[in-house]
Amino acid sequence: MSRVRLTDAKVRDLRSKKATRNVRDAVLAGFGARILPSGRKRYFVHSQHEGRRTWRIVGDPAAMTVAEAREKARGMLVSIRAGRPASDEETLFEAVAENAFRRHGGNWKESTLSVNRHYLRNQILPWFRGRQVAEITSQDVRDWFASMHATPVSADRSMPVLSVIMQVAEIGGLRPEGSNPCGGIRRYRRRNRDRFLSAAEFGRLGKALRGTKPSLAVPIIRLLALTGCRSSEIRTLRWTDFRDGHVFLRDSKTGPRTVWLSSAAREVLDSLPRTSPWIFPSGRKDGPVTGTMLGRAWSRIRTEAGLKDVRLHDLRHAYASLAVTGGETVLTVGRLLGHGDPQTTLKYVHDSEAEAERAAVAMGAVLAERQT
């Protein structure tokens, strides 16, 4: 790493390269200028105290002179070596996290933003709040990840959120480039929760739906089984989305898409009264029925059908599995489900192959009995 006596003119003349450059000051040890590949520059301090490396941003050369930056850096280095907390709050983890959400929030769907906020608030901030973002190490992240071994789903879904925050810290020059501490940490292996219904179980579900007191939950559940859609996609349908025998989803998980309806699915929709812009209006306010209401109704219906371990989302898995075993191609099933990645659809092929293998084993046992 080069070391020169930094002056305003020298900092101004520093040029970017393909990789980030750090130019150390020959006057004040631990002080320097960082030049990012984008051409942006930052003054920084880098110190090691009691075996711990500390990296902090001093300021922007466009807003302060070298003399001002050097004086501020001197005070920061004194604070670091004295073990006192940093006074520059913009480099605290929570400040960088908020900046990351402002930066990426506009690119996330509203539901994704809400979920990511949940993981930030409940899983990430309690561990990293108050820390300087540049001081967080891979070991810190591994310890945090290990602390959530009892909730592997939360751990796996929180990790990408933390990684985005660290990426934003690097882009802003708050961490050395390529220092994301989330890299190389293996996610938890979870048992597959997908549940597929047999023909007999579908029969019990149909009987339970017919015997249920009429409510909007019944046609919603029928449509979920007949289309393979996500519950939010069906629950929030408007009548303007249903035309020409199709449903046109405005904003599914993978963007706008068309849902092709069978005659049975069209009959469900044609049987409903058009008393609201929403196909399934809430009886209490202007808007669609809530997920809570649907969840409660499903709990009662699945209990009646003897399917207590079946989630509402499993109707989507069952639809896909039936399509695959019925001879539809992976690409066709992927289009029916609105998958953006064929790899997502392939798991249903694997599941159907497993079912075929189990059937072959069972048939072999029957034939063996007949031969004896």
Side-chain angles (χ1 to χ4, degrees), residues 15-241:
R15 296 291 178 259
S16 62
K17 296 184 178 180
K18 291 184 179 179
T20 298
R21 296 174 59 201
N22 290 330
V23 180
R24 298 275 187 172
D25 184 31
V27 177
L28 178 62
F31 171 61
R34 159 163 286 207
I35 308 93
L36 301 175
S38 63
R40 296 179 64 186
K41 301 171 185 177
R42 291 288 185 272
Y43 291 123
F44 69 86
V45 291
H46 186 208
S47 178
Q48 183 165 325
H49 177 65
E50 295 181 348
R52 189 171 190 174
R53 293 180 180 274
T54 300
W55 177 284
R56 293 179 188 163
I57 295 298
V58 177
D60 189 335
M64 61 197 316
T65 66
V66 169
E68 291 170 338
R70 190 180 285 122
E71 186 62 27
K72 182 178 179 181
R74 186 173 284 109
M76 293 173 69
L77 289 168
V78 169
S79 294
I80 292 170
R81 290 159 187 164
R84 294 197 296 269
S87 59
D88 194 351
E89 294 184 357
E90 71 174 0
T91 61
L92 289 174
F93 175 82
E94 57 267 32
V96 179
E98 192 57 38
N99 181 38
F101 271 72
R102 285 196 300 269
R103 185 186 184 96
H104 291 279
N107 299 324
W108 291 334
K109 293 181 181 297
E110 185 176 347
S111 58
T112 302
L113 178 60
S114 177
V115 169
N116 288 349
R117 280 276 183 197
H118 168 82
Y119 288 121
L120 174 67
R121 181 173 59 253
N122 294 287
Q123 272 71 42
I124 300 175
L125 283 179
W127 191 276
F128 296 107
R129 182 187 280 112
R131 298 280 303 277
Q132 286 291 320
V133 72
E135 297 177 356
I136 296 172
T137 66
S138 294
Q139 187 59 55
D140 292 329
V141 175
R142 282 192 288 270
D143 291 343
W144 162 75
F145 197 63
S147 74
M148 294 187 289
H149 68 277
T151 54
V153 174
S154 293
D156 285 351
R157 292 180 179 175
S158 297
M159 180 66 84
V161 179
L162 179 59
S163 183
V164 166
I165 294 170
M166 293 303 177
Q167 290 170 14
V168 168
E170 287 188 29
I171 292 171
L174 303 180
R175 289 182 62 91
E177 191 170 289
S179 68
N180 192 329
C182 299
I185 298 177
R186 297 183 63 180
R187 309 299 166 85
Y188 289 102
R189 296 184 63 180
R190 304 189 302 272
R191 183 172 58 85
N192 187 11
R193 294 184 62 202
D194 294 349
R195 172 74 156 78
F196 300 88
L197 279 71
S198 66
E201 288 175 327
F202 266 119
R204 298 208 305 270
L205 175 59
K207 182 178 180 181
L209 289 172
R210 290 190 296 273
T212 298
K213 181 180 179 181
S215 72
L216 290 178
V218 173
I220 291 176
I221 293 169
R222 289 188 186 281
L223 285 175
L224 292 177
L226 291 168
T227 64
C229 285
R230 301 173 179 88
S231 61
S232 61
E233 294 170 347
I234 294 298
R235 184 173 52 78
T236 59
L237 282 176
R238 300 171 186 263
W239 282 112
T240 52
D241 300 329

